[in-house]
Amino acid sequence: MIHIVKATVADLKTITEIAYKTWPLTYGEILSKAQLEYMLNAFYSESALRANIENGQEFILAKEADIVLGFASFEHHYEDGNTTKIHKIYILPETQGKGIGKLLIDAIAQFAKENQSQMLLLNVNRFNKALTFYQKLGFKIIQEIDIELEQGYLMEDYIMEKKI
């Protein structure tokens, strides 16, 4: 049975490992190899993940027995509003399509309600196949945004939201 647990700093290595297994398959056809490596190093180093936690993000894990199948991170009261922002959600490629992503989103929605949020918000790459997953869960595109990164890299995202 799959259960959702809160992650701790002791889980950061596992989170990094899942990102490094998932990103090449998720973004390999969307981003150059150099940008993929840059973003993984920028977003999934232990120091970057620790900074996420220090800046208010919470991480949760989807586990079956003692095996972590995926993770998500989120932030309540995003930009001082009544919104919970989902920053990250990745499932191991071999376990995708088994409802784990929905379990993580449902858990985030429950935590969000407990923290007086009325909305879930997330960014998704405009070319990411996960876009349809979010739409099936009731997320709506509210904005298109390009985020410039160092070295001239660009994140081409949709901002999506869902009332809870």
Side-chain angles (χ1 to χ4, degrees), residues 66-120:
D66 287 334
I67 300 168
V68 178
L69 307 174
F71 71 90
S73 76
F74 54 94
E75 175 184 356
H76 298 300
H77 311 293
Y78 182 69
E79 295 183 344
D80 296 321
N82 60 353
T83 297
T84 293
K85 173 137 188 202
I86 301 170
H87 288 283
K88 300 169 175 37
I89 180 168
Y90 292 99
I91 314 302
L92 286 171
E94 62 270 22
T95 62
Q96 291 177 5
K98 297 182 179 181
I100 299 166
K102 184 178 182 324
L103 286 174
L104 287 166
I105 297 282
D106 289 347
I108 293 168
Q110 186 58 44
F111 291 129
K113 287 178 188 175
E114 292 167 6
N115 281 274
Q116 290 74 46
S117 286
Q118 297 174 2
M119 191 79 64
L120 295 178

Side-chain angles (χ1 to χ4, degrees), residues 38-66:
Y38 164 80
M39 292 177 73
L40 278 168
N41 290 329
F43 299 154
Y44 289 97
S45 67
E46 184 173 335
S47 62
L49 293 172
R50 281 182 183 272
N52 291 158
I53 293 168
E54 290 166 7
N55 291 323
Q57 287 187 40
E58 297 179 41
F59 284 79
I60 56 175
L61 306 174
K63 294 179 82 171
E64 188 169 42
D66 287 334

Side-chain angles (χ1 to χ4, degrees), residues 35 38 147-155:
Q35 183 173 352
Y38 164 80
I147 302 167
E148 292 184 35
L149 303 173
E150 294 177 350
Q151 301 181 23
Y153 295 132
L154 190 64
M155 290 175 31

